[in-house]
Amino acid sequence: MSTRQARILGVGDYRPRRVVPNSEIVEAIDSSDEWIQQRSGIRTRGFAGDDETVVSMSVAAAQDALKVAGVDGTEVDCVIVATVSHLLQTPAAATLIAAELGTKGAAFDISAACAGFCHGVALASDLIRGGSANHVLVIGVEKLSDITSPTDRGTAFIFADGAGAALVGPSDVSGISPVVWGSDGEQSDLIRQDVDWATAVSSGETAMPHLVMEGSAVFRWASFAMAKTAQEALDRAGITADELDVFVPHQANNRITDTMIRAMKLPERVRVARDIVDQGNTSAASVPLALARMIREGEARSGDKALLIAFGAGLAYAAQVVTVP
Ligand code: COA
């Protein structure tokens, strides 16, 4: 049996230049800054400009991760991009990003919505442990402002843009625990694109298809089922909540995070990601964005045990414990 293990070597991020406060969102959805903050924790979010594309934001985040890791792009032999907002059916965003980074080898996208980054980390870990790759770049990126209706009361204040990346590489000791993951297609109506592209075109629709969500049902599912999944991930890693240093849940909504913390009985000393407050919910990008920030601000330190968990449309979810690089 192979003894080769995998760990995260570096994390990077890219945040859109334009910071949009609640006051810019509220009129179109008959809401208020107070309501949005109280229901979600969000104060501002980043909306990407025309020149901040899925590809350009990913390249910037990946270059940041490579720099931190001290690894050149030419040493990367697989690029995995998790996104639902690369609006070109083919080729995959990963191939364009790989070309700009000068990486060699495989490049492909995965579609697991908000859970995509954690799926990518699981794939990267097993590709490296199995000997199929040496350095895998995992990127979570979204430009959700392209597929969110500014007049939809249930989503317009939540979704946002950005990119985060992690370089995963070989290691003597395990730095990524086995993933706990799954999906529940029977509830896939809860978060989805409102109509498929063909229907939109044939009906003469001029507006882009956009995301719709049944907020209350998503809230209940995420808060309770995901606390159980998070506990399972700790069990698979062979640690208890007392041994955890950092909790990086998908930045879906601060109230979901609070409910999960209570359900898991997380000790108060565990540092919790709250990137959503000024970044919004960036779907596949939210976990690496939040982790990058915690590392930068000294809240997550090298060697810390961090529990990552992400969940969303599908309903797809994935969780694992990683060692902070
Ligand atoms: N601004 C102001 N009021 C709003 C509103 C908005 N954007 N959206 C709904 N409301 C009002 C409704 O009109 C209703 O008012 P009423 O009680 O006078 O009839 C009230 O708020 C409750 O509406 P409801 O649709 O039940 O909202 P909610 O309490 O479920 O809150 C969310 C909506 C989206 C904040 C909440 O469901 C939620 O957090 N869901 C999880 C979403 C999430 O995190 N998704 C990401 C997963 S990847």
Side-chain angles (χ1 to χ4, degrees):
M1 228 173 82
S2 161
T3 54
R4 185 161 125 130
Q5 300 293 337
R7 68 183 177 95
I8 295 178
L9 303 175
V11 183
D13 58 355
Y14 180 85
R15 293 160 198 267
R17 286 189 304 272
R18 186 167 160 241
V19 175
V20 179
N22 289 339
S23 57
E24 274 191 45
I25 305 283
V26 292
E27 197 181 325
I29 54 171
D30 186 20
S31 189
S32 68
D33 177 37
E34 191 191 2
W35 192 93
I36 295 172
Q37 286 201 43
Q38 196 226 332
R39 297 295 175 119
S40 68
I42 299 169
R43 287 191 196 140
T44 66
R45 76 279 293 138
F47 281 171
D50 290 345
D51 61 327
E52 294 171 301
T53 65
V54 162
V55 171
S56 75
M57 292 193 291
S58 297
V59 168
Q63 283 170 336
D64 194 20
L66 288 167
K67 192 169 155 210
V68 171
V71 172
D72 193 74
T74 55
E75 292 176 60
V76 172
D77 44 15
C78 181
V79 177
I80 301 175
V81 174
T83 186
V84 296
S85 47
H86 173 56
L87 299 182
L88 199 61
Q89 209 79 45
T90 197
T95 60
L96 311 173
I97 295 160
E100 287 209 27
L101 292 170
T103 69
K104 305 270 180 280
F108 56 92
D109 294 357
I110 55 174
S111 178
C114 304
F117 177 79
C118 291
H119 279 67
V121 169
L123 294 178
S125 173
D126 287 357
L127 286 170
I128 291 165
R129 283 161 20 96
S132 299
N134 275 317
H135 289 99
V136 182
L137 252 175
V138 183
I139 299 168
V141 57
E142 300 293 1
K143 194 166 174 181
L144 294 178
S145 57
D146 278 347
I147 53 169
T148 303
S149 164
T151 58
D152 182 333
R153 294 185 99 200
T155 56
F157 65 95
I158 292 179
F159 294 126
D161 307 335
L167 182 70
V168 184
S171 167
D172 294 335
V173 291
S174 171
I176 300 173
S177 74
V179 69
V180 175
W181 55 4
S183 68
D184 180 3
E186 286 185 9
Q187 298 200 75
S188 58
D189 265 6
L190 296 187
I191 315 176
R192 60 187 166 80
Q193 183 171 314
D194 63 339
V195 291
D196 64 70
W197 296 100
T199 307
V201 170
S202 63
S203 66
E205 186 58 66
T206 49
M208 287 275 285
H210 59 269
L211 298 172
V212 288
M213 175 169 69
E214 290 183 30
S216 311
V218 172
F219 188 92
R220 284 193 300 277
W221 169 75
S223 301
F224 299 105
M226 290 304 98
K228 238 177 108 208
T229 299
Q231 184 56 53
E232 278 170 33
L234 291 179
D235 296 343
R236 290 299 307 270
I239 65 168
T240 66
D242 285 332
E243 293 165 272
L244 192 66
D245 303 296
V246 177
F247 181 42
V248 189
H250 168 42
Q251 301 294 287
N253 183 317
N254 256 347
R255 280 167 63 226
I256 292 176
T257 299
D258 291 338
T259 313
M260 284 175 76
I261 288 171
R262 280 195 299 276
M264 290 172 68
K265 299 187 171 59
L266 269 196
E268 257 184 48
R269 47 153 210 86
V270 175
R271 285 154 261 141
V272 179
R274 300 286 184 181
D275 199 44
I276 189 169
V277 173
D278 44 36
Q279 216 58 45
N281 175 338
T282 55
S283 189
S286 91
V287 167
L289 276 169
L291 181 58
R293 180 193 198 138
M294 289 183 90
I295 294 172
R296 191 162 49 240
E297 295 183 351
E299 279 194 283
R301 297 159 206 141
S302 183
D304 277 355
K305 294 269 175 252
L307 171 61
L308 315 183
I309 180 166
F311 43 83
L315 298 173
Y317 58 91
Q320 65 261 105
V321 174
V322 303
T323 304
V324 174

